[in-house]
Amino acid sequence: MDGKALAERVRKEVAGEVASLGRPVGLATVLVGDDPASGVYVRSKQKACREVGIEPFDHNLSSETGQDDLLALVEQLNGDEAVTGILVQLPLPKQIDPQAILDAIDPAKDVDGFHVVNAGRLFTGGKSLVPCTPLGCLLLLKDRLGDLAGKRAIVLGRSNIVGKPMAQLLLNESCTVTIAHSKSRDLAGECRRADIVVAAVGRPEMVRGDWIQPGATVIDVGINRVDAGGGKTKLVGDVAYAEALPHAGGITPVPGGVGPMTIACLLANTVTAACRQRGVDLPA
Ligand code: NAP
């Protein structure tokens, strides 16, 4: 399953929606400290914004920044009409409580979908901003399978940012959902019953080929850097891709599967937020 190609389609749609809104759309990115990986993520999100006509507002703060200073910046961005969406890159330095920061973001501008109000709306069926990675996984599944109603789905992992919202999205599509985690028993047997397997555990190639029911659709969220020999490293997912490929009806690769969809869904969420803030009907 080609995440890059679907992400490209989503980005094109977003670019069209931004143009048709006729008013600027802006995403504020907040990076605290100098973690190299976080810097790469933020820059790639800013580049993706520019490509679809969303203006990125870049806020780089020192690793010494205190919680009150970061809260003050979030408050300022909440009140800034040019800022449609706010993204605070995690992880934050240890002197800052990430939950306090996420709670301070205006839910209407919470394009990461991490605010408790958006999580609550997702669970109770209201209009929410949905975390980008599970939203991307859902779009990949619907693109391949169409209607998901009645399918047996298993989500491996129960984090607040991937596993739980993924399970809720699948439940909202009327799947029969199992959520598995580190205390679950017989993961292989649970997976073998599933039409849809979403793996989000952060364990390199944990899901083996013979865990996959013939024809099942497999979404691999994991991004794990492992030794590739000769002093090199490579990225692998949570699924043993080569083993699972002959069993699966469809499977996302790592890289090139869920990753590109995560960024595309951040752009889509920013446009969704813009439309709601302006009382404009969302494009279908
Ligand atoms: P996380 O917060 O560490 O959560 C991992 C989950 O996996 C936990 O619920 C944990 O169970 C479960 N788990 C760990 N070991 C397990 C095992 N042996 N058997 C069954 N369940 C196990 O991770 P996350 O933030 O959800 O991310 C998961 C993976 O997705 C990571 O590789 C991350 O890099 C990747 N990711 C990718 C993207 C993307 O854009 N592609 C975005 C976000 C995350 P307990 O709750 O019992 O501890």
Side-chain angles (χ1 to χ4, degrees):
M1 292 163 70
D2 188 348
K4 278 190 201 160
L6 182 57
E8 190 50 42
R9 268 160 50 203
V10 173
R11 284 169 188 240
K12 280 209 175 99
E13 280 170 29
V14 169
E17 289 157 4
V18 171
S20 72
L21 263 171
R23 286 170 63 179
V25 179
L27 175 67
T29 57
V30 181
L31 177 63
V32 187
D34 41 24
D35 176 55
S38 293
V40 170
Y41 288 142
V42 168
R43 282 191 293 281
S44 66
K45 288 167 186 176
Q46 291 170 340
K47 179 168 173 281
C49 281
R50 279 187 211 96
E51 285 167 3
V52 297
I54 295 174
E55 188 177 351
F57 300 108
D58 181 11
H59 295 269
N60 282 336
L61 307 183
S62 97
S63 56
E64 312 295 312
T65 302
Q67 181 160 314
D68 288 347
D69 288 336
L70 184 53
L71 283 171
L73 173 61
V74 169
E75 268 315 304
Q76 179 203 317
L77 297 172
N78 281 344
D80 185 341
E81 283 203 3
V83 173
T84 315
I86 301 169
L87 180 151
V88 178
Q89 184 65 42
L90 301 178
L92 291 166
K94 58 183 183 319
Q95 72 274 18
I96 300 176
D97 170 12
Q99 198 57 50
I101 303 303
L102 298 180
D103 287 347
I105 296 173
D106 178 350
K109 295 189 176 186
D110 169 38
V111 287
D112 261 337
F114 295 161
H115 194 285
V116 69
V117 165
N118 280 314
R121 287 185 186 144
L122 175 63
F123 276 64
T124 52
K127 273 188 186 175
S128 65
L129 288 164
V130 177
C132 304
T133 298
L135 181 57
C137 296
L138 183 70
L139 294 182
L140 280 160
L141 285 167
K142 289 176 90 164
D143 186 60
R144 175 155 195 100
L145 299 172
D147 186 12
L148 305 182
K151 298 211 180 289
R152 280 176 192 266
I154 184 164
V155 180
L156 303 171
R158 56 174 166 180
S159 70
N160 287 340
I161 61 169
V162 187
K164 283 182 200 161
M166 184 74 245
Q168 188 60 43
L169 284 169
L170 291 165
L171 183 61
N172 292 355
E173 296 294 324
S174 298
C175 291
T176 304
V177 184
T178 301
I179 307 174
H181 45 77
S182 66
K183 307 288 188 298
S184 298
R185 292 186 195 145
D186 188 20
L187 281 179
E190 295 288 349
C191 282
R192 280 188 203 111
R193 281 188 282 279
D195 306 308
I196 293 169
V197 177
V198 181
V201 286
R203 300 271 178 260
E205 301 186 323
M206 186 187 85
V207 178
R208 309 312 307 185
D210 65 357
W211 294 23
I212 305 301
Q213 183 189 158
T217 306
V218 181
I219 304 290
D220 190 352
V221 183
I223 303 177
N224 309 288
R225 191 163 284 285
V226 296
D227 189 1
K232 296 192 172 156
T233 61
K234 62 174 180 176
L235 288 183
V236 298
D238 290 341
V239 180
Y241 182 83
E243 275 183 26
L245 191 59
H247 299 266
I251 180 169
T252 57
V254 177
V258 174
M261 287 302 292
T262 296
I263 293 194
C265 287
L266 172 68
L267 305 174
N269 273 352
T270 307
V271 172
T272 300
C275 291
R276 290 195 186 138
Q277 286 163 25
R278 289 159 198 180
V280 174
D281 276 344
L282 277 175

